[in-house]
């Protein structure tokens, strides 16, 4: 099985496609904390040398589109972190007019009656108005917030964005927008799944921001927070701030930042990525045009970059419609397969042929939820030493049981890499002009090909 763990730990250009293995995201964040803090400090020092005593308006954050991915369900051994470039600008401030320490002299807090005492209610009160996350875009808008960008943009199923800026009373806040429905939706039909109050945007605000049990922005200390909520699930202590994270589940957490200089809470991040009632989970069984245009190859050929394969006597080009496999005698094991796949999303399907079963990840390339038959198989594998073992021939006539010397001769002219283990060698063949993840992998043991896996996730173009 291919080991596909790709991480981007670049501060300015980073985004994640996340599976249920959210622990990977936590690991990346932990590794980045020191880098981020040092980068901010360095930029602050540079900017202070350039700007006058008059503070400059910050450059607005760019949004980041992320995927709450069904691509790699928890059963998979592979974790893929797909990357999309996004640029954010860390703007420096010469001198804040009002410090959080000065705000600490504010009158004692008045708790709204509807505000929960449970931090995991994912509530926050802003000037007496309780916000409950997640909430629909329209409800957040009705609370007085105005989205600053293009709300006609869309999110596919299981996608979310971060860094979406809104304004209220000329104050900016940053949010996450999420689409956990099965169908592609415009932003206006998505959820606001989280919010961030940071010390830059809030420096001139006179908002009263209160969390459960009376924890207040600009007032409460580290000891106050721990007394209210207990020991955090995880923490991070740096030269600029002490970060406490209270985690309920994957994509459900609250992070609180107490800055060292002021000694009080100066940043709040709330995330609750759970589906609201009323999401559009309708299923459209219409056969996509992309499926109807698919044509099987006339021969397996001699070009590995075509991703052709002959499986049990039938020819395929990958990615290949599930319906093509069904037409050639495979059947769907419904008890082990998804009944529907969200728009531009992934899920598991189990196919059975000649008393053997194989679990495959299939992709829906349409912008609507549909049945597995309308999706594409993007990978296939066979192995001589364990199930499933299918009769598979790939370009250049390569098959299971062939010698390693013969394999090397047939790979001449193609781009490949060899990874050696204790008892196996892995030959990975991929087009250098494409993605390294779209490849053939040959497992060699004792000089013989014992396993073949192919994968191509490029959307077909007919």
């Amino acid at each position: 099985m291919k080991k596909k763990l790709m991480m981007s730990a670049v501060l300015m250009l980073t985004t994640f496609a996340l599976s249920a293995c959210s622990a990977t995201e936590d690991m990346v964040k932990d590794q980045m904390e020191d880098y981020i803090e040092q980068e901010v400090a360095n930029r602050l020092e540079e900017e202070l040398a350039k700007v006058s005593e008059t503070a400059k308006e910050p450059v607005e954050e760019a949004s980041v589109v992320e995927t709450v991915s069904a691509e790699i369900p928890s059963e998979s051994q592979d974790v893929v972190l797909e990357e999309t470039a996004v640029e954010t600008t860390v703007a420096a401030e010469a001198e804040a007019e009002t410090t959080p320490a000065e705000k600490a002299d504010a009158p004692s807090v008045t708790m709204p009656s509807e505000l929960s005492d449970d931090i995991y209610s994912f509530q926050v009160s802003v000037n007496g108005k309780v916000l409950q996350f997640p909430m629909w875009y329209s409800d957040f808008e009705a609370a007085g917030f105005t989205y600053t960008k293009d709300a006609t943009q869309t999110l596919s199923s299981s996608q979310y964005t971060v860094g979406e800026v809104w304004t209220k009373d000329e104050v900016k806040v940053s949010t996450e927008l999420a689409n956990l429905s099965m169908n592609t939706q415009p932003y206006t039909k998505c959820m606001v799944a989280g919010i961030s109050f940071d010390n830059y945007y809030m420096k001139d605000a006179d908002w009263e921001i209160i969390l459960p049990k009376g924890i207040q922005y600009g007032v409460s200390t580290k000891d106050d927070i721990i007394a209210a909520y207990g020991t955090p699930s995880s923490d991070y202590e740096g030269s600029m701030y002490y970060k406490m994270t209270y985690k309920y589940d994957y994509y459900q957490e609250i992070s609180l930042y107490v800055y060292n200089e002021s000694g009080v809470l100066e940043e709040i991040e709330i995330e609750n990525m759970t589906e609201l009632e009323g999401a559009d989970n309708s299923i459209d069984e219409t056969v996509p045009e992309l499926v109807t245009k698919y044509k099987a190859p006339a021969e397996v050929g001699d070009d590995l970059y075509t991703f052709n394969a002959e499986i049990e006597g039938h020819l395929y080009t990958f990615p290949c419609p599930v319906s093509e496999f069904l037409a050639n005698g495979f059947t769907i094991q419904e008890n082990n397969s998804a009944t529907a796949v969200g728009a531009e999303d992934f899920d598991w399907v189990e196919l059975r042929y000649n008393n053997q079963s194989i679990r495959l990840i299939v992709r829906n390339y349409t912008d609507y939820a549909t049945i597995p038959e309308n999706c594409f198989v993007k990978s296939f594998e066979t192995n001589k030493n364990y199930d499933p073992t299918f009769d598979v021939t790939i370009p250049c006539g390569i098959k299971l049981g062939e010698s390693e010397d013969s394999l090397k001769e047939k790979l001449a002219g193609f781009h490949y890499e060899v990874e050696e283990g204790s008892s196996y060698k892995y030959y990975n063949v991929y087009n250098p002009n494409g993605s390294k993840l779209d490849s053939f992998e040959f497992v060699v043991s004792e000089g013989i090909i014992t396993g073949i896996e192919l994968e191509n996730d490029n959307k077909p173009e007919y």
Side-chain angles (χ1 to χ4, degrees), residues 2 4 43 77 79 136 189 196 204-205 213 251 332 339 358 365 388 409 436:
K2 297 174 185 173
K4 299 175 181 175
R43 290 183 176 220
Q77 298 177 22
V79 178
W136 290 115
K189 299 294 184 182
S196 174
D204 294 322
K213 294 191 176 180
Y251 306 107
I332 294 178
T339 58
I358 182 170
Y365 289 109
E409 287 179 6
K436 191 173 182 178

Side-chain angles (χ1 to χ4, degrees), residues 169-423:
D169 304 327
E170 299 183 352
V171 177
K172 295 179 179 179
V173 297
S174 179
T175 71
E176 295 179 1
L177 291 177
N179 174 25
L180 300 188
S181 77
M182 295 285 284
N183 293 282
T184 298
Q185 299 291 347
Y187 280 11
T188 54
K189 299 294 184 182
C190 293
M191 306 182 315
V192 179
I195 193 167
S196 174
F197 304 94
D198 68 72
N199 63 350
Y200 189 89
Y201 283 150
M202 301 305 298
K203 63 182 172 51
D204 294 322
D206 58 357
W207 289 2
E208 183 183 64
I209 303 172
I210 306 169
L211 292 168
K213 294 191 176 180
I215 297 302
Q216 186 173 3
Y217 183 96
V219 174
S220 297
T221 65
K222 168 186 172 182
D223 291 341
D224 294 334
I225 294 168
I226 293 176
Y229 306 138
T231 303
S233 308
S234 62
D235 62 0
Y236 167 82
E237 188 165 6
S239 61
M240 294 178 64
Y241 54 73
Y242 176 66
K243 175 185 176 183
M244 292 170 277
T245 298
Y246 292 86
K247 184 170 183 175
Y248 185 75
D249 206 341
Y250 297 123
Y251 306 107
Q252 293 179 279
E253 63 185 39
I254 300 95
S255 293
L256 307 175
Y257 297 72
V258 173
Y259 276 70
N260 299 335
E261 184 176 353
S262 66
V264 298
L265 178 64
E266 290 189 51
E267 188 168 343
I268 298 171
E269 294 175 350
I270 299 173
E271 178 184 64
N272 188 17
M273 202 76 64
T274 55
E275 184 175 332
L276 289 169
E277 290 186 10
D280 180 9
N281 291 320
S282 59
I283 308 301
D284 188 343
E285 297 187 14
T286 303
V287 179
E289 184 179 10
L290 204 60
V291 171
T292 61
K293 285 186 174 181
Y294 172 85
K295 301 294 182 185
E299 58 181 10
V300 69
D302 293 322
D303 185 357
L304 288 165
Y305 299 154
T306 61
F307 291 98
N308 290 341
E310 182 179 322
I311 301 172
E312 297 292 340
H314 297 281
L315 292 163
Y316 303 87
T317 296
F318 286 79
C320 174
V322 173
S323 57
E324 190 75 5
F325 281 85
L326 301 183
N328 291 333
F330 282 81
T331 58
I332 294 178
Q333 296 296 97
E334 295 183 358
N335 58 323
N336 288 327
S337 301
T339 58
V341 183
E344 300 182 44
D345 209 346
F346 301 81
D347 217 321
W348 288 102
V349 167
E350 183 173 308
L351 296 180
R352 186 169 177 81
Y353 183 90
N354 196 23
N355 299 319
Q356 292 199 88
S357 297
I358 182 170
R359 292 203 76 199
L360 302 167
I361 295 173
V362 299
R363 180 163 184 173
N364 174 13
Y365 289 109
T366 70
D367 61 359
Y368 56 86
T370 192
I371 55 178
E373 290 89 331
N374 292 334
C375 298
F376 281 73
V377 175
K378 65 172 191 168
S379 63
F380 200 90
E381 66 179 306
T382 185
N383 197 287
K384 190 173 182 290
N385 296 331
Y386 60 83
D387 294 338
T389 303
F390 292 99
D391 181 13
V392 176
T393 303
I394 65 168
C396 302
I398 302 173
K399 301 186 68 170
L400 292 178
E402 192 165 339
S403 71
E404 182 179 8
D405 289 339
S406 175
L407 174 64
K408 287 191 287 188
E409 287 179 6
K410 291 179 178 180
L411 294 184
F414 295 101
H415 186 86
Y416 69 93
E417 297 175 355
V418 181
E419 178 183 346
E420 295 197 30
S422 58
S423 57

Side-chain angles (χ1 to χ4, degrees), residues 22 65 78 82 119 138 156 168 176 274 293 342 389 394 430:
S22 182
V65 178
D78 302 341
E82 299 175 346
I119 188 175
S138 57
S156 298
K168 177 181 171 69
E176 295 179 1
T274 55
K293 285 186 174 181
T389 303
I394 65 168
Y430 62 92

Side-chain angles (χ1 to χ4, degrees), residues 43-97:
R43 290 183 176 220
L44 180 61
E45 183 178 352
E46 293 173 2
E47 292 297 326
L48 285 175
K50 297 178 182 178
V51 302
S52 64
E53 294 182 357
T54 303
K56 292 186 177 181
E57 181 71 16
V59 177
E60 197 168 273
E61 296 181 36
S63 61
V64 182
V65 178
E66 308 187 7
T67 302
V68 185
S69 179
E71 175 185 357
I72 310 296
S74 58
E75 296 95 327
S76 173
Q77 298 177 22
D78 302 341
V79 178
V80 181
L81 301 183
E82 299 175 346
E83 304 178 24
T84 304
V86 61
E87 182 171 318
T88 58
T89 303
V90 179
E93 180 68 17
E95 184 177 356
E97 297 178 3

